[in-house]
Amino acid sequence: MNRCMIFFLTITILLLCSCCYSKSKINQIYSEMYILEENGEYQKAQELLDSVPRFNRDWNYYLNYGLCVRNQDPEFWSGVSTKYFLKAYNLNPDNFETTYFFAQTNRYMEINNAAYDLFIKAEKLPDCYNYFSLYYELSDICLKLGKNDEALNFIQKALDIESTSYLIMMKGIAISRKDSCDYLDEYFNIANAITDDKVLMNHLYAKENVLLKKYDKALAVYSDLIKINPNCSTYFSEVAKIYLIQKKYDLAYEYLKTAYKLNWNDKECLKNLSLYFYCQGKIEECLNNANAYFKINTIMNIEVNSEDEYIERFKDDIRELSL
């Protein structure tokens, strides 16, 4: 038997084994995996997926693997699951779930234009089913992109499905921005009166007051939130940002140190630390924190190696600090 014949026989056997394995095992693996996911046993589900041979790893494998990884660490879910959602989307770009979860990943990492395009695409796909979550995501993205009319449209679509205090708060934010009128307190009071999650409402209220440059009001709210949950790095990062804007650098640094100690993966903390060191003229520390921020906050291989590159990447943040 010549080498050529041996080669083709080997390939044939491998293909037959692949088909045999996929028919006899893959459906069973996925069935067991779905049960584990429903029970919140994501580590076991991930271990089960690890048993799938490489030649059987399709878009469904990568999508569910990403979900298992993400749900084991909700504080840092998109950063570590990005590559799996990207593979799933590349293998099946016209599927609602691959598009939706990849869009979510982009939203988490603040790649807002890409997230917007993907969510819009997801809405138009024939297998789209999760309209409420989709409209909520689009509402949030539109607010971040300054698309206030679109934000109101998607907020209302979501409210027509289910009225929540979060959406009511978002509606007040969108109307205030669209009409340049201060409806924030009015909608905050409505939302806060009907929600059990008053912590979330107050956080949204404080963040919007920062954008409105009502820093004393925002600081008072964050002070109360820190008393309620002194282990939340986000609140310390937000307070630090206010102090950076006010050029109270010593106070800003104290809050940033606390935020970093609580969660060294806090992306806002890393960004604000880089801005703090930039304000202090400590460019090496500035770049180190900026690159740590990019490492967990983007699917692209971004690295800044000079002050000029940093200024270009963070020009909006620097402008916000009025430097």
Side-chain angles (χ1 to χ4, degrees):
M1 188 179 294
N2 60 39
R3 290 183 179 180
C4 185
M5 186 175 290
I6 293 172
F7 173 78
F8 282 115
L9 279 173
T10 303
I11 294 297
T12 301
I13 292 169
L14 286 172
L15 288 172
L16 287 172
C17 289
S18 172
C19 293
C20 179
Y21 190 97
S22 64
K23 289 178 181 178
S24 62
K25 294 290 184 181
I26 296 299
N27 289 338
Q28 179 185 347
I29 288 174
Y30 281 128
S31 295
E32 293 177 7
M33 178 207 65
Y34 290 135
I35 293 171
L36 290 169
E37 285 184 339
E38 287 178 4
N39 292 329
E41 298 182 74
Y42 298 110
Q43 184 175 349
K44 288 184 178 180
Q46 182 182 343
E47 291 170 357
L48 189 60
L49 284 170
D50 284 332
S51 68
V52 176
R54 290 188 179 277
F55 48 75
N56 285 107
R57 295 180 178 180
D58 58 3
W59 68 269
N60 197 28
Y61 165 86
Y62 288 110
L63 176 68
N64 282 283
Y65 204 93
L67 289 170
C68 288
V69 171
R70 182 191 80 171
N71 289 323
Q72 287 180 68
D73 191 0
E75 288 294 319
F76 188 44
W77 61 268
S78 280
V80 294
S81 58
T82 295
K83 60 182 179 181
Y84 306 110
F85 291 133
L86 175 59
K87 282 186 178 181
Y89 178 74
N90 285 337
L91 288 169
N92 193 356
D94 293 322
N95 172 269
F96 171 72
E97 288 191 324
T98 62
T99 305
Y100 176 77
F101 286 113
F102 187 46
Q104 268 196 336
T105 298
N106 279 275
R107 173 176 170 262
Y108 172 87
M109 294 186 297
E110 299 179 0
I111 309 173
N112 294 325
N113 284 304
Y116 171 82
D117 291 340
L118 287 163
F119 281 128
I120 290 293
K121 175 185 175 181
E123 184 190 21
K124 297 174 183 176
L125 290 172
D127 58 339
C128 177
Y129 63 87
N130 196 354
Y131 286 100
F132 177 80
S133 295
L134 183 64
Y135 293 143
Y136 157 73
E137 303 270 13
L138 276 166
S139 302
D140 182 73
I141 286 293
C142 287
L143 284 176
K144 289 178 178 176
L145 293 173
K147 299 175 182 285
N148 298 314
D149 285 329
E150 281 192 70
L152 278 171
N153 176 49
F154 290 121
I155 289 168
Q156 192 55 54
K157 284 185 175 183
L159 283 169
D160 289 342
I161 298 172
E162 180 183 350
S163 181
T164 70
S165 55
Y166 194 101
L167 285 166
I168 290 170
M169 187 68 186
M170 289 177 73
K171 185 175 182 179
I173 291 170
I175 292 174
S176 296
R177 293 181 184 179
K178 175 178 176 291
D179 298 336
S180 299
C181 297
D182 191 355
Y183 291 99
L184 188 62
D185 286 355
E186 177 184 343
Y187 277 86
F188 169 71
N189 289 332
I190 295 170
N192 205 38
I194 65 171
T195 184
D196 291 330
D197 196 348
K198 297 188 184 300
V199 170
L200 176 60
M201 287 304 103
N202 278 275
H203 187 199
L204 289 173
Y205 181 61
K207 283 179 71 70
E208 192 64 17
N209 273 301
V210 172
L211 293 176
L212 294 172
K213 299 182 179 181
K214 297 181 178 180
Y215 303 124
D216 289 343
K217 185 178 286 189
L219 284 170
V221 176
Y222 278 125
S223 176
D224 290 337
L225 289 174
I226 287 171
K227 290 176 184 176
I228 295 170
N229 187 358
N231 295 317
C232 179
S233 62
T234 300
Y235 303 148
F236 289 92
S237 297
E238 296 287 356
V239 171
K241 180 179 179 180
I242 294 172
Y243 286 138
L244 283 175
I245 292 170
Q246 294 180 331
K247 296 181 171 50
K248 298 177 180 179
Y249 299 123
D250 289 344
L251 280 171
Y253 189 51
E254 289 302 314
Y255 277 87
L256 287 170
K257 286 194 296 184
T258 302
Y260 188 84
K261 184 177 180 180
L262 290 169
N263 180 8
W264 60 271
N265 277 327
D266 187 315
K267 58 182 183 178
E268 289 303 313
C269 175
L270 291 169
K271 180 197 285 188
N272 290 333
L273 268 171
S274 76
L275 289 165
Y276 165 79
F277 285 119
Y278 178 76
C279 295
Q280 300 300 302
K282 299 179 179 180
I283 301 304
E284 183 177 354
E285 291 94 331
C286 166
L287 298 181
N288 287 340
N289 283 280
N291 288 325
Y293 166 80
F294 284 130
K295 187 175 181 179
I296 68 166
N297 199 50
T298 182
I299 58 176
M300 297 175 286
N301 187 22
I302 294 176
E303 186 174 341
V304 290
N305 297 300
S306 69
E307 184 175 354
D308 288 341
E309 287 181 25
Y310 180 82
I311 292 170
E312 178 60 28
R313 288 283 181 186
F314 289 89
K315 57 187 176 184
D316 292 336
D317 300 283
I318 292 171
R319 188 183 303 118
E320 186 179 9
L321 300 183
S322 301
L323 294 173

